[in-house]
Amino acid sequence: MGRVSPSWLMSARELTGQMHSSVAAPVILDVRWTLAGSDPQGYADAHIPAAAFVDLDRELAGQPGERGRHPLPDPLDLQIAWRAAGIDDDSSVVVYDGGPGLAAARAWWLLRWSGLTQVRVLDGGFAAWTAAGGPVASGPPAVRAPGSMTVRPGGMPVVGIDEAAELAADPSGVLLDARAAPRFRGEVEPLDPVAGHIPGSINLPAGDLLDADGLFRPPAELAAVFGDHALRTGPADARGRAAASCGSGITACQLVLAGAVIGLDLALYPGSYSQWCAAGRPVAVGP
């Protein structure tokens, strides 16, 4: 990380070209998911040909509990999921979801945390794919040869609950919260027992990163959005420490992805607000 790299994203047109290229086609993962849960039925109804479905709730998260609603999965469990999808250590992987990119960003982050480097997100997800006239398939996942990937955790930075508290309280640090503004302000809370946010955190709703078509905004616009929220690109030693949080560590990954596109390094707080309030930590409301 630490450099401008729009190559973390892939357009529907580019993916079509790669699927018909003479070189090895990428492993394609469908990780459609909403706050209501994973969407295997959506995959069965229509998906990108050759895509493997990965269940975010069962395979890309551990059991909910004191670590939050979507804690990081056990590395060995994650390795089983990646191998079942046909991923090897040298695989090129493209991930997509229904469109907003929240679940796809989580898969992108976990693949990179696992040690893979050739991982990209289909910009705009399945909605962009169908809008571009991309072919679709239906039915259950096809039987595929298992991969041989070995998960080597630690490829992406994380912070725990105490370090998140320190970042939020430190004038030179930034803890972003990717949830929608009404949830951040504590006006509504559909999932966690206490409404509000981590004191000192700054709200940057993930939706602010996207344009009207659900695609990531151009790098210059993304840089302006982060700049409006106390984060600017430049030498790492001049930027201070920063991390992304959300409700349970899913949506925050989209902030990490957008930061990577413009060369801004963000750690992830996997437990996020669900761990914070479950631990009885103090909660703030309002802007």
Side-chain angles (χ1 to χ4, degrees):
M1 297 176 71
R3 61 186 178 86
V4 177
S5 182
S7 63
W8 294 124
L9 303 175
M10 176 178 285
S11 69
R13 181 176 180 178
E14 187 178 357
L15 178 56
T16 299
Q18 288 203 8
M19 290 170 65
H20 294 91
S21 171
S22 59
V23 300
V27 176
I28 304 173
L29 303 184
D30 181 316
V31 288
R32 274 178 281 183
W33 174 91
T34 68
L35 290 178
S38 298
D39 188 18
Q41 187 58 52
Y43 172 90
D45 291 341
H47 56 265
I48 295 176
F53 181 74
V54 178
D55 190 309
L56 186 151
D57 289 320
R58 292 193 305 105
E59 298 176 300
L60 304 187
Q63 289 296 316
E66 62 180 18
R67 295 190 298 142
R69 286 185 281 106
H70 289 102
L72 296 185
D74 180 88
L76 290 179
D77 292 336
L78 191 58
Q79 181 169 285
I80 291 171
W82 295 151
R83 290 183 176 185
I87 299 174
D88 298 317
D89 288 322
D90 60 351
S91 290
S92 173
V93 182
V94 177
V95 295
Y96 74 91
D97 56 23
L102 306 181
R106 169 75 169 209
W108 169 86
W109 188 94
L110 278 171
L111 283 161
R112 297 198 61 218
W113 179 77
S114 299
L116 253 63
T117 57
Q118 301 180 75
V119 189
R120 301 175 72 180
V121 171
L122 176 61
D123 198 9
F126 192 64
W129 178 261
T130 55
V136 299
S138 61
V143 176
R144 64 186 66 238
S148 58
M149 177 184 174
T150 298
V151 168
R152 298 174 176 86
M156 295 288 277
V158 299
V159 299
I161 189 170
D162 292 330
E163 190 172 359
E166 293 171 4
L167 275 174
D170 185 351
S172 66
V174 176
L175 179 66
L176 296 175
D177 186 320
R179 293 176 299 163
R183 287 187 69 193
F184 179 85
R185 294 193 296 261
E187 297 166 5
V188 60
E189 182 46 65
L191 298 169
D192 292 308
V194 181
H197 60 266
I198 298 172
S201 60
I202 297 173
N203 189 211
L204 197 176
D208 290 0
L209 307 173
L210 307 178
D211 65 16
D213 296 320
L215 303 173
F216 274 90
R217 295 165 69 171
E221 293 184 13
L222 290 176
V225 170
F226 280 108
D228 289 341
H229 294 78
L231 281 174
R232 290 177 171 81
T233 56
D237 57 0
R239 292 199 301 263
R241 299 178 302 149
S245 70
C246 56
S248 64
I250 304 297
T251 308
C253 292
Q254 197 169 38
L255 298 189
V256 180
L257 172 58
V261 167
I262 61 171
L264 185 64
D265 296 342
L266 294 173
L268 176 70
Y269 173 26
S272 284
Y273 185 72
S274 61
Q275 180 189 35
W276 182 272
C277 66
R281 295 292 182 105
V283 169
V285 296

